[in-house]
Amino acid sequence: KNATMKVVSIAILRTGPDVAEPVPVSMACELSSYGFFQRQGVKEMLTFFSKTFTKRTDPGQRQSIEHESYVVHCYVRSDGLAGTVTTDLEYPARVAFVLLTQLLDEFQQTVGDSWRSVTTPESVTFPKIEEYLQKYQDPAAADKVTKIQQDLDETTQILHKTIDSVLERGVKLDSLVERSNDLSAQSKMFYKQAKKTNSCCTIS
């Protein structure tokens, strides 16, 4: 794994009463540390986690959910526009949420309210998301920006959760993965293999 790459993916999603599942409207991934044939599977898993955790984040809430060697930082705005940043364990949550706050503001300014009716995944072109993915790889550099802007007050509550505390009682991630229509058989295999290799340090 490339040590300098801290942000694996950023996704912008739409939530709302008219959609059963959050719809990823735009997404960017940094998958150079994975083998070529793994990348599609990894991207599908990242999309799956983004949707699964966004669905379980209340409007106005920010939460960081740890899964094996990654953390998915989720933020759902009160208007239903949402974002996730998937990072390694060391990446500071505060910086991830500054990224999300700025990204969603800029997205709204760029596309207006058209996102509210999007139903096709990844159908909104928003080149800026790639810039954010690169700019925020180094949290220290990004943190200089955030220090000046102090977009996110230190007192803003960020909930740090494990997968089990986010999922409904009795629901297991494995069964969600198994039932998901978003994941190809290859991705499900990849998930199981990753789970085996990480079984020494799985978060219980």
Side-chain angles (χ1 to χ4, degrees):
K1 186 164 142 40
N2 184 340
T4 57
M5 287 305 177
K6 303 285 188 191
V7 180
V8 187
S9 75
I10 302 176
I12 298 171
L13 304 97
R14 167 173 103 80
T15 65
D18 61 317
V19 284
E21 296 273 323
V23 181
V25 293
S26 190
M27 189 168 178
C29 303
E30 170 41 76
L31 303 177
S32 58
S33 55
Y34 294 95
F36 180 75
F37 294 105
Q38 289 181 312
R39 287 176 198 170
Q40 188 55 37
V42 175
K43 183 172 189 280
E44 285 179 13
M45 286 307 307
L46 291 166
T47 306
F48 170 76
F49 285 133
S50 289
K51 287 173 64 174
T52 302
F53 299 150
T54 298
K55 188 177 182 176
R56 292 161 176 83
T57 303
D58 295 330
Q61 193 180 55
R62 294 175 172 87
Q63 52 182 5
S64 299
I65 299 139
E66 212 171 295
H67 176 60
E68 287 167 6
S69 53
Y70 295 106
V71 182
V72 184
H73 306 278
C74 300
Y75 171 42
V76 180
R77 302 199 320 184
S78 49
D79 62 2
L81 187 62
T84 64
V85 179
T86 305
T87 67
D88 64 5
L89 297 173
E90 285 79 53
Y91 199 90
R94 194 177 65 81
V95 178
F97 286 109
V98 170
L99 183 169
L100 283 174
T101 306
Q102 292 178 344
L103 175 77
L104 296 179
D105 284 349
E106 196 164 344
F107 180 75
Q108 172 87 48
Q109 285 160 14
T110 308
V111 307
D113 280 339
S114 62
W115 61 267
R116 292 176 187 273
S117 54
V118 174
T119 51
T120 310
E122 293 186 61
S123 57
V124 179
T125 310
F126 183 57
K128 270 309 215 350
I129 197 169
E130 294 286 348
E131 283 177 36
Y132 273 87
L133 185 66
Q134 296 312 321
K135 182 172 114 182
Y136 277 89
Q137 285 302 338
D138 176 7
D143 215 19
K144 288 194 185 80
V145 182
T146 62
K147 283 222 175 18
I148 303 160
Q149 292 177 291
Q150 279 297 312
D151 276 7
L152 202 64
D153 197 314
E154 295 292 345
T155 57
T156 301
Q157 195 189 15
I158 297 169
L159 306 172
H160 295 272
K161 295 191 170 178
T162 59
I163 293 229
D164 289 341
S165 65
V166 175
L167 298 179
E168 298 75 21
R169 211 176 177 71
V171 173
K172 285 276 171 268
L173 189 65
D174 293 5
S175 59
L176 288 179
V177 167
E178 209 41 63
R179 290 204 310 265
S180 169
N181 299 325
D182 296 331
L183 298 173
S184 59
Q186 183 197 359
S187 293
K188 290 179 185 179
M189 277 295 295
F190 177 80
Y191 170 76
K192 286 183 185 135
Q193 282 166 346
K195 219 179 133 147
K196 277 201 193 91
T197 52
N198 275 337
S199 53
C200 62
C201 46
T202 305
I203 293 147
S204 55

